Amino acid sequence: MKVKDPVCGMKIEKEEAVERVEYMGKEYFFCSKECAEKFRDDPERYAHQGKPRGHGCCH
Ligand SMILES: [Zn+2]
């Protein structure tokens, strides 16, 4: 089963994910430790990728 790495947007096989992070009851899979670390740093930013908010926007 393919999943999307929310940080870099890469599609990876679940079994091949290097890291797995649980956030708000959902599981996220990452292609590398780097991506997982970025996610842990700022999960809010990556967990809502379904709804585009634009980059560096004010709010
Ligand atoms: Zn990645």
Side-chain angles (χ1 to χ4, degrees), residues 9-49:
M10 206 171 112
K11 290 223 171 91
I12 48 173
E13 288 293 334
K14 218 172 180 178
E15 296 77 34
E16 285 169 12
V18 175
E19 290 255 12
R20 187 193 67 98
V21 177
E22 218 182 293
Y23 177 70
M24 304 276 281
K26 266 189 84 180
E27 274 183 319
Y28 296 90
F29 299 86
F30 303 91
C31 67
S32 68
K33 280 187 189 290
E34 252 178 47
C35 284
E37 259 163 44
K38 277 190 194 169
F39 184 85
R40 285 197 190 98
D41 262 12
D42 195 1
E44 269 291 301
R45 179 171 160 196
Y46 299 108
H48 303 294
Q49 288 244 324

